[in-house]
């Protein structure tokens, strides 16, 4: 049963009711699908964002969202990017469970025998999400033993990312498929993908085009490369060791979220009676590695690193701004990030929301998936980053723009970055969930949780 909504202004209450309607409609009984048509299963970082919003409606349901996801964790610590609902027909989504074959192909790397999942991962927002869910009602959390039950699983997840997934040996987690950093079709992947021979179109059927406009989705050529990479990883039994990865990239957004979640895990450790020191130490080490390996002074932002070629990828995406959420960055880096965010490439404060890719970039497309449209989750992260470094007025402006856009676009998956016109599917769960969180952000108890690191400042 959902809890009684807190009082809100008339416009806010209408928006809150609309967002709650989306989450109720997308609830399956154990978790929330991103959308009923296009994404009919449970997605990893979607569930983390969804739980952040659900905590404002039902703390119990928010806890269940994360618990159901971690119930599908592999023995090696990885959290799969999809947990499949066996009641959904195989042809409703591709790649389907019979493609991934997790319970057989993933057996040697610890896939669960009784639950079918994908074999790749998504960004680690989960410890941050778990901490915020706990803070929404600490007494209820303690009664259910929520944090003690999740702590070991979260720690194993981070150990996997900082262990087997440190493919570059420089202290950062690597991604081995464009679907793993979450920004599936970003121009950042164009150059590394050139090495990948696409699967034959006759070997699979794209279910995403049943629900989305082709002009807004990845091209057939790119999709064929995604399928090839997933096939090769599966056929290697989802092993991360070795040097045979055709695609291996260090992504700044992925690692920034790992850092913030490591800080959150330190708080979770303290709350459960464990030692937070190893998480604080790891967060500091990851921050140093992020700056050393992915910062570009010339671009004034973080870039992705291609581990096969060894060089930084000269593409400017919103992933390079998201590290504003990381506490304790050097002052000169913060100033440069803020300048880049407000500059002609992203125009934050001028357009309603920051685009997913540089407006002035050669590959910008305001309608196509992750190649220009504005997304609510990345802008939610930027809003937190602005507050992390004292940019309150700018954060308030972005928050107001996001709320206006959410109401106008029917909680769309993503929007045109100039007009906020709906793109992708509608009634998208994380858009609704993060709308609820932004609506609640003015409460004093919420303001206390706007930062996750040990300090709210910068290194001098």
């Amino acid at each position: 049963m959902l809890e009684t909504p807190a009082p809100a202004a008339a416009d806010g209450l209408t928006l809150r009711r609309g967002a709650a309607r989306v989450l109720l409609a997308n609830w399956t009984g154990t978790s929330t699908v991103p959308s009923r048509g296009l994404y009919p299963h449970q997605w990893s970082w979607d569930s983390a964002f969804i739980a952040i919003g659900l905590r404002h409606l039902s703390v119990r349901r928010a806890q269940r969202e994360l618990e159901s996801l971690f119930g599908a964790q592999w023995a090696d610590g990885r959290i799969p990017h999809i947990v499949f609902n066996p009641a959904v027909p195989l042809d409703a989504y591709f790649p389907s469970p019979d493609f991934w074959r997790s319970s057989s192909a993933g057996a040697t790397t610890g896939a669960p025998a009784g639950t079918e999942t994908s074999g790749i991962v998504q960004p680690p927002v989960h410890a941050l999400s778990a901490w915020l869910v706990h803070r929404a009602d600490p007494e209820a959390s303690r009664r259910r033993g929520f944090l003690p039950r999740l702590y070991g699983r979260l720690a194993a997840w981070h150990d996997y990312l900082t262990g087997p997934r440190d493919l570059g040996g420089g202290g950062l987690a690597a991604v081995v498929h464009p679907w793993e950093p979450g920004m599936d079709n970003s121009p950042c992947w164009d150059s590394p993908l050139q090495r990948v021979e696409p699967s034959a179109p006759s070997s699979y059927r794209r279910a995403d085009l049943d629900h989305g406009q082709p002009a807004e989705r990845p091209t057939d050529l790119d999709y064929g490369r995604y399928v090839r990479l997933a096939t090769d990883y599966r056929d290697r039994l989802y092993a991360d060791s070795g040097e045979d990865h055709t695609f291996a990239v260090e992504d700044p957004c992925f690692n920034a979220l790992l850092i913030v979640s490591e800080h959150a895990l330190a708080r979770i450790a303290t709350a459960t009676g464990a030692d937070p020191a190893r998480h604080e130490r790891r967060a500091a080490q990851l921050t140093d590695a992020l700056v050393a390996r992915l910062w570009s002074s010339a671009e004034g932002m973080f870039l992705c690193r291609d581990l096969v070629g060894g060089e930084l990828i000269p593409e400017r995406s919103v992933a390079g701004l998201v590290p504003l959420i990381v506490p304790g960055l050097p002052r000169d880096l913060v100033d440069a990030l803020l300048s880049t965010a407000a500059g002609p490439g992203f125009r934050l404060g001028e357009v309603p929301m920051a685009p997913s890719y540089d407006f002035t970039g050669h590959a910008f497309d305001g309608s196509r998936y992750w190649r220009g449209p504005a997304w609510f989750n990345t802008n939610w992260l930027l809003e937190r980053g602005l507050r992390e470094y004292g940019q309150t007025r700018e954060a308030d402006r972005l928050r107001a723009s996001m709320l206006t856009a959410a109401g106008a676009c029917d909680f769309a998956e993503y929007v045109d970055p100039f007009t906020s016109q709906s793109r992708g599917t509608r009634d998208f769960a994380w858009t609704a969930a993060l709308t609820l969180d932004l609506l609640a952000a003015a409460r004093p108890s919420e303001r206390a949780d706007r930062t996750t690191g040990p300090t709210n400042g910068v290194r001098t």
Side-chain angles (χ1 to χ4, degrees):
M1 183 175 182
L2 296 184
E3 296 154 9
T4 304
D11 288 348
L13 185 57
T14 299
L15 194 56
R16 178 181 169 85
R17 286 170 174 164
R21 172 190 57 78
V22 172
L23 295 181
L24 284 169
N26 291 4
W27 176 252
T28 68
T30 56
S31 63
T32 309
V33 298
S35 73
R36 283 289 179 180
L38 185 55
Y39 306 107
H41 301 284
Q42 183 179 26
W43 262 257
S44 173
W45 77 325
D46 292 73
S47 277
F49 286 122
I50 289 164
I52 289 170
L54 274 176
R55 69 191 173 120
H56 303 296
L57 298 177
S58 169
V59 170
R60 176 67 182 86
R61 187 168 287 190
Q63 293 174 356
R64 182 64 180 135
E65 185 76 39
L66 293 172
E67 290 164 351
S68 65
L69 177 68
F70 275 80
Q73 186 172 25
W74 291 28
D76 65 0
R78 84 181 72 192
I79 300 300
H81 98 295
I82 303 175
V83 181
F84 290 106
N85 180 350
V88 175
L90 289 178
D91 63 358
Y93 181 81
F94 179 84
S96 49
D98 57 339
F99 171 88
W100 294 103
R101 306 172 200 163
S102 64
S103 58
S104 56
T108 57
T109 37
T115 303
E116 293 298 327
T117 74
S118 66
I120 60 175
V121 303
Q122 277 188 325
V125 199
H126 311 89
L128 171 62
S129 177
W131 178 249
L132 293 178
V133 169
H134 165 76
R135 290 293 304 140
D137 191 338
E139 287 305 315
S141 175
R142 282 189 280 269
R143 283 197 304 271
R144 293 195 64 249
F146 173 63
L147 290 183
R149 282 185 288 109
L150 272 192
Y151 172 65
R153 291 180 175 273
L154 287 164
W157 169 220
H158 288 199
D159 287 345
Y160 168 73
L161 293 174
T162 55
R165 280 303 187 92
D166 181 10
L167 300 179
L172 295 180
V175 295
V176 299
H177 194 289
W179 290 337
E180 290 199 317
M183 302 181 193
D184 309 12
N185 197 36
S186 170
C188 294
W189 321 136
D190 289 356
S191 177
L193 282 174
Q194 294 298 314
R195 295 187 293 262
V196 180
E197 181 67 27
S199 293
S202 60
S203 66
Y204 62 92
R205 189 188 76 83
R206 292 184 62 174
D208 63 316
L209 297 182
D210 294 342
H211 304 281
Q213 296 294 324
E216 297 179 5
R217 304 294 299 171
T219 65
D220 287 341
L221 177 60
D222 285 336
Y223 207 91
R225 287 167 168 154
Y226 304 156
V227 174
R228 170 63 64 194
L229 284 170
T231 300
D232 290 348
Y233 194 40
R234 179 199 66 198
D235 292 348
R236 292 201 310 273
L237 306 181
Y238 300 113
D240 294 310
S241 59
E243 299 179 356
D244 53 355
H245 289 286
T246 311
F247 182 99
V249 173
E250 291 172 348
D251 175 71
C253 177
F254 192 103
N255 281 281
L257 289 170
L258 178 57
I259 294 167
V260 171
S261 278
E262 198 68 56
H263 283 300
L265 198 53
R267 292 187 176 188
I268 292 171
T270 299
T272 58
D275 184 4
R278 75 180 182 111
H279 304 298
E280 294 167 349
R281 185 165 55 250
R282 180 181 283 170
Q285 292 168 344
L286 284 162
T287 302
D288 289 342
L290 179 74
V291 172
R293 292 182 63 80
L294 303 186
W295 176 252
S296 169
S297 297
E299 298 293 348
M301 64 188 301
F302 292 90
L303 300 178
C304 298
R305 181 175 292 277
D306 179 5
L307 293 177
V308 178
E311 68 282 343
L312 291 175
I313 299 171
E315 300 287 359
R316 293 156 50 97
S317 84
V318 72
L321 300 178
V322 168
L324 274 171
I325 63 173
V326 173
L329 289 176
R331 179 76 253 177
D332 59 330
L333 267 66
V334 172
D335 290 343
L337 281 170
L338 293 172
S339 177
T340 300
F346 296 92
R347 297 167 61 179
L348 192 61
E350 179 184 347
V351 294
M353 293 192 289
S356 49
Y357 179 72
D358 186 338
F359 281 123
T360 67
H362 69 99
F364 175 80
D365 184 333
S367 295
R368 196 176 290 276
Y369 206 61
W370 288 112
R371 301 181 79 85
W375 291 71
F376 286 86
N377 66 327
T378 53
N379 278 273
W380 181 86
L381 292 169
L382 290 178
E383 192 263 358
R384 290 183 70 87
L386 290 170
R387 294 192 192 281
E388 177 71 37
Y389 289 103
Q391 305 297 303
T392 304
R393 184 174 62 179
E394 292 79 1
D396 287 345
R397 183 187 299 123
L398 179 55
R399 173 179 171 271
S401 294
M402 291 176 68
L403 290 174
T404 298
C409 75
D410 296 327
F411 304 102
E413 184 180 4
Y414 47 96
V415 297
D416 182 286
F418 297 108
T419 67
S420 297
Q421 184 177 351
S422 301
R423 294 287 185 267
T425 191
R426 309 303 190 265
D427 291 340
F428 196 68
W430 81 26
T431 302
L434 297 178
T435 296
L436 289 174
D437 191 62
L438 292 170
L439 284 168
R443 301 177 193 167
S445 62
E446 292 299 317
R447 288 199 298 270
D449 272 330
R450 297 304 283 169
T451 58
T452 311
T455 61
N456 184 21
V458 297
R459 298 179 188 173
T460 56

